[in-house]
Amino acid sequence: MTDRGWEAVDAYIAGQLLGPDPVLDAALKGNAEGGLPAIDVSAAQGKMLHLLARISGARHILEVGTLGGFSTIWLARALPEGGRLVTLEISPTHAEVARANIAHAGLAEKVEVRVGPALESLKTMGDEAPFDLVFIDADKENNANYVQAAIGLSRPGALILVDNVVRGGGVIDAASTEPRIVGTRKLFEMLQAEERLEATAIQTVGAKGWDGFVMAVVKG
Ligand code: SAH
Ligand code: DHB
Ligand code: MG
């Protein structure tokens, strides 16, 4: 099946199972008007993140890579009363669009968008730990570093998810010099050796092409 078929099936899934969502439609419109690239997770993937957050009973969520807050909104919608989400974003422009989208979603009180290079922000977050769920979706070059930081900020049993770990199959190109592929392969090597995590990766196809997520649990 072709990419076109994947897109059509994603549209079918969204139509059957996700229903109308004016808040998320408005967020995507806000992103486009703000000139942000359309590299958010798909709607079906966003709902998967949402369900995983609910299944894990997450009260405290960390996101690395906000863009316009599309994935943030899906995750924050899973929080119970009193739950909190911190999302890290390097671009002040993206953060501004995200804050508006998040406010429009009625989630401003639960969500903080923090601007700066995520590696720097993560270093200062010890007193905000532990997190129950971490979603990593920023510069792929740093994915191994982000997972290491996430382990340090997570409770035993926490869920760590990483987006874009398949890259149209590019991940298996050992000869690649593309920094994002190199970074992704470094992530897999780190995960293989990391005894504090139990991990897998799941390939996905859909509106965002052929890609995948790493899913890992912090051992107790
Ligand atoms: N999670 C979003 C998509 C994020 S796109 C969603 O699915 O809706 C990746 C984002 O990571 C971009 O907004 C980019 O500006 C940001 N980013 C890139 N490098 C970063 C860094 N070093 N620190 C923090 N954010 C970074
Ligand atoms: C890119 C980043 C993402 O997080 C994504 O889901 C797709 C593409 C990118 O940087 O091109
Ligand atoms: Mg992504």
Side-chain angles (χ1 to χ4, degrees):
M1 205 186 243
T2 63
D3 287 32
R4 273 204 115 86
W6 301 343
E7 249 184 274
V9 172
D10 245 358
Y12 173 77
I13 292 169
Q16 293 299 105
L17 304 180
L18 274 58
D21 199 326
V23 161
L24 285 172
D25 292 345
L28 292 180
K29 191 158 170 274
N31 287 359
E33 285 168 2
L36 274 54
I39 55 174
D40 341 65
V41 293
S42 71
Q45 290 171 344
K47 188 157 183 189
M48 181 188 75
L49 297 174
H50 170 85
L51 292 175
L52 288 168
R54 281 175 55 173
I55 291 162
S56 70
R59 299 184 57 84
H60 201 193
I61 297 177
L62 172 61
E63 180 177 64
V64 182
T66 316
L67 191 65
F70 186 82
S71 56
T72 317
I73 291 169
W74 273 115
L75 286 165
R77 281 175 170 177
L79 289 169
E81 196 65 36
R84 293 271 303 153
L85 185 153
V86 180
T87 181
L88 309 179
E89 174 55 54
I90 199 168
S91 158
T93 316
H94 295 185
E96 193 183 320
V97 171
R99 286 190 187 115
N101 288 336
I102 290 160
H104 182 249
L107 293 164
E109 290 193 352
K110 287 180 164 168
V111 176
E112 183 192 340
V113 182
R114 202 168 292 174
V115 177
L119 273 182
E120 296 307 311
S121 300
L122 288 163
K123 279 184 200 154
T124 70
M125 294 182 70
D127 56 352
E128 295 170 68
F131 289 90
D132 307 307
L133 188 154
V134 184
F135 176 50
I136 298 169
D137 190 19
D139 49 324
K140 315 309 172 194
E141 295 86 336
N142 272 314
N143 270 343
N145 296 326
Y146 292 144
V147 171
Q148 283 297 310
I151 296 169
L153 294 171
S154 291
R155 68 161 167 82
L159 183 58
I160 299 177
L161 301 161
V162 189
D163 193 20
N164 309 117
V165 301
V166 173
R167 288 279 181 192
V171 64
I172 61 170
D173 182 3
S176 177
T177 54
E178 210 271 280
R180 290 182 294 192
I181 297 295
V182 174
T184 303
R185 291 181 61 83
K186 205 168 143 194
L187 167 70
F188 275 93
E189 277 154 37
M190 183 275 282
L191 290 170
Q192 184 182 47
E194 179 51 73
E195 290 180 351
R196 294 171 295 174
L197 292 178
E198 200 64 64
T200 188
I202 294 296
Q203 301 185 68
T204 56
V205 295
K208 303 290 167 165
W210 174 23
D211 217 321
F213 292 88
V214 152
M215 176 184 289
V217 65
V218 179
K219 290 187 198 169

